[in-house]
């Protein structure tokens, strides 16, 4: 499917609500659980999404509009949440994510990007030349990827509890 | 994590809302999309979840209580939705799923299952002896598995659109 802003916005708009429904009233055994010490919990994922709202998507979109390929994007810190989320409850993080996302989508709409803007190019520090459309498509796929990560880490808490049904449930690994 | 009904109920209760938020206002390009002709769309998944509410989870729980291991569960039809969903809109299916789930959870609570009930055994037609606790843990993991399946099939519609970012997004395969 080609990237088209009108099709992407419904997904981006609702991700905070999807994640909120999944997590907000869930016992901490689900939301703080990890598969092993190196993987992320649902709580960690929400912190990561917040960091993306602050430093990744809209700042990079603006960089493309202002500097094109001449100034690469700032590097994204994939583990910033381990410092930034400290002392915050999951409910705090979910509210912060929802608010940042809403602001970012208002700012995105205010840019009134045209179809030709979607072909404007920027410079990713590792991946090289990328387009505005690719950046925004990645925002959507990244949301869906992390929803998938959250349900996977939650499901795996029942890897033993399901007994022989494990054979039918790919998500349990 | 051990199965405990009080920890499972919040997940089972909210799955219809999670899936509703993901899908209800999403353009059909997302909800009807498949990865290839043999995989399921989000629409197909909701039909499958409905069939589970009707024929799998609570009927099997009752079979365990009434017949123990003496009468195996009825076989579950994994493709029933391709007939049963015909002519129904996604909004119809989401409403039907939410209603069936709410009824089933009321019925489950009415059974007032004790901890020892969780060890009661039934007979799965393929997997052999299973317990009530395993059945109910599987209900939860099955929900999470299919939420994961929905976000995966949606994300994959942008496999090309994300350009070089594909390298960072496991969900795109």
């Amino acid at each position: 499917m080609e990237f088209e802003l009108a099709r992407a916005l419904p997904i981006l708009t609702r991700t905070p609500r999807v994640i909120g429904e999944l997590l907000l009233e869930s016992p901490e055994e689900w939301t703080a659980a990890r598969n092993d010490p190196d993987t992320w919990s649902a709580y960690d994922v929400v912190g990561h999404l917040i960091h993306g709202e602050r430093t990744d998507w809209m700042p990079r979109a603006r960089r493309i509009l202002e500097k094109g390929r001449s100034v690469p994007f700032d590097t994204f810190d994939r583990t910033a949440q381990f410092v930034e989320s400290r002392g915050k409850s999951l409910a705090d993080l979910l509210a912060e994510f929802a608010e940042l996302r809403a602001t970012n989508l208002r700012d995105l709409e205010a840019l009134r990007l045209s179809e030709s803007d979607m072909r404007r190019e920027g410079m990713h520090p590792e991946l090289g030349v990328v387009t505005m459309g690719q950046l925004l498509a990645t925002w959507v796929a990244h949301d869906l990827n992390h929803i998938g990560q959250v349900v996977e880490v939650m499901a795996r808490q029942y890897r033993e509890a399901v007994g022989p049904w494990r054979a039918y449930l790919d998500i349990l690994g």
Side-chain angles (χ1 to χ4, degrees), chain A:
Chain A
M1 180 158 76
E2 302 263 319
F3 177 78
E4 206 178 274
L5 195 54
R7 276 198 297 246
L9 284 172
I11 311 290
L12 292 172
T13 302
R14 288 199 321 279
T15 296
R17 302 211 297 265
V18 172
I19 295 185
E21 288 289 354
L22 257 175
L23 299 180
L24 196 53
E25 292 161 45
S26 290
E28 213 183 22
E29 290 93 338
W30 294 107
T31 61
R34 296 186 168 136
N35 296 339
D36 61 63
D38 290 338
T39 59
W40 292 0
S41 67
Y43 175 91
D44 299 331
V45 169
V46 180
H48 168 75
L49 291 170
I50 287 172
H51 193 68
E53 295 304 305
R54 289 198 192 285
T55 71
D56 190 336
W57 313 109
M58 285 304 294
R60 288 179 170 191
R62 290 192 193 94
R63 177 70 52 92
I64 291 174
L65 295 176
E66 290 162 12
K67 305 286 182 183
R69 296 156 58 154
S70 67
V71 181
F73 304 147
D74 299 335
T75 310
F76 182 74
D77 179 354
R78 282 205 186 70
T79 58
Q81 70 272 17
F82 294 109
V83 175
E84 292 177 359
S85 297
R86 250 178 228 157
K88 295 180 184 171
S89 70
L90 178 60
D92 291 340
L93 294 183
L94 289 167
E96 191 178 350
F97 174 51
E99 200 179 309
L100 288 166
R101 173 60 59 93
T103 304
N104 278 332
L105 293 182
R106 275 195 301 273
D107 291 353
L108 176 62
E109 296 199 72
L111 293 177
R112 305 181 74 82
L113 297 174
S114 65
E115 262 189 65
S116 67
D117 286 329
M118 294 303 166
R119 293 189 291 275
R120 290 176 74 158
E121 292 178 335
M123 187 61 70
H124 187 285
E126 291 171 11
L127 299 171
V129 176
V130 292
T131 67
M132 178 71 82
Q134 289 168 349
L135 173 70
L136 299 178
T138 302
W139 196 358
V140 173
H142 181 269
D143 273 12
L144 296 168
N145 185 57
H146 285 293
I147 296 169
Q149 184 185 20
V150 165
V151 294
E152 183 182 296
V153 67
M154 290 171 74
R156 289 192 179 195
Q157 305 315 306
Y158 273 174
R159 193 188 260 168
E160 307 304 326
V162 300
W165 268 289
R166 183 170 166 184
Y168 292 168
L169 292 163
D170 288 345
I171 200 169
L172 301 184

